[in-house]
Amino acid sequence: MSRPPLPPFNAETAAQKVRLAEDAWNGQDPEKVAQAYTTDSQWRNRLEFIHGREDIVAFLTRKWEREQEYRLIKELWAFQDNRIAVRFAYEWQDQAGQWFRSHGNENWEFDENGLMRYRAASINDQPISATDRLFRWPEGRRPDSHPGLSTMGL
């Protein structure tokens, strides 16, 4: 199975890879998202260590049950060969109605087929009020006209 764009990445293909990941995560379909990772993919997400697609699906299912109204923006930070560094922010609401903006960084490594085999994510959650929300597009893919993180000053 191949997931273009394939490494080695250049500025254009690395940015495409980042946007494809953002779009998939905003779709909130754990099974579909998991297909972008190798069957033995390894993750570190905050304090959780995840191994393989089955664990990825279980993790994302729990995540999106807890994080309602999820809206994510990813931005390319750096790339080299088969590695990409990303910064991101996402907004979500917990079951008690509290809004958060979560900020973080990810390091990605891809196999020769463009599947991610390693992902390390560091994330911090910032409580915000509903009036401080910035990511207000309808559920799903961020519109092309919506500004990215740098443009928004995040």
Side-chain angles (χ1 to χ4, degrees):
M1 185 164 107
S2 179
R3 295 289 286 226
L6 306 177
F9 299 111
N10 60 40
E12 180 182 350
T13 60
Q16 288 173 350
K17 201 70 159 176
V18 171
R19 182 59 193 240
L20 288 169
E22 175 188 315
D23 292 349
W25 281 61
N26 276 327
Q28 298 178 54
D29 181 338
E31 293 284 345
K32 184 176 178 182
V33 171
Q35 295 306 305
Y37 300 88
T38 62
T39 56
D40 61 348
S41 185
Q42 294 186 33
W43 288 17
R44 182 192 51 77
N45 194 89
R46 301 178 192 247
L47 299 175
E48 194 166 350
F49 292 84
I50 299 156
H51 302 280
R53 285 186 184 158
E54 188 174 309
D55 286 355
I56 291 169
V57 170
F59 168 81
L60 292 174
T61 299
R62 288 190 315 273
K63 173 184 180 61
W64 290 321
E65 286 173 356
R66 185 176 71 90
E67 297 177 359
Q68 303 293 306
E69 297 297 323
Y70 180 89
R71 304 290 187 279
L72 166 70
I73 300 176
K74 290 184 181 279
E75 183 174 275
L76 176 64
W77 189 252
F79 67 92
Q80 183 177 4
D81 300 324
N82 68 334
R83 293 181 174 167
I84 296 176
V86 174
R87 68 187 203 96
F88 63 87
Y90 62 92
E91 292 180 351
W92 57 282
Q93 186 178 42
D94 69 12
Q95 293 180 352
Q98 173 63 54
W99 282 95
F100 296 87
R101 184 173 303 122
S102 299
H103 303 265
N105 300 291
E106 295 175 305
N107 295 314
W108 300 343
E109 183 178 83
F110 295 87
D111 72 5
E112 63 280 356
N113 296 312
L115 296 171
M116 194 182 302
R117 65 177 161 214
Y118 179 77
R119 173 184 176 267
S122 298
I123 307 165
N124 297 300
D125 300 322
Q126 172 191 9
I128 60 172
S129 68
T131 57
D132 289 332
R133 290 180 53 219
L134 299 173
F135 306 170
R136 296 180 176 269
W137 64 87
E139 186 175 301
R141 186 179 192 276
R142 175 175 55 101
D144 291 335
S145 60
H146 192 283
L149 296 177
S150 291
T151 304
M152 297 177 80
L154 294 177

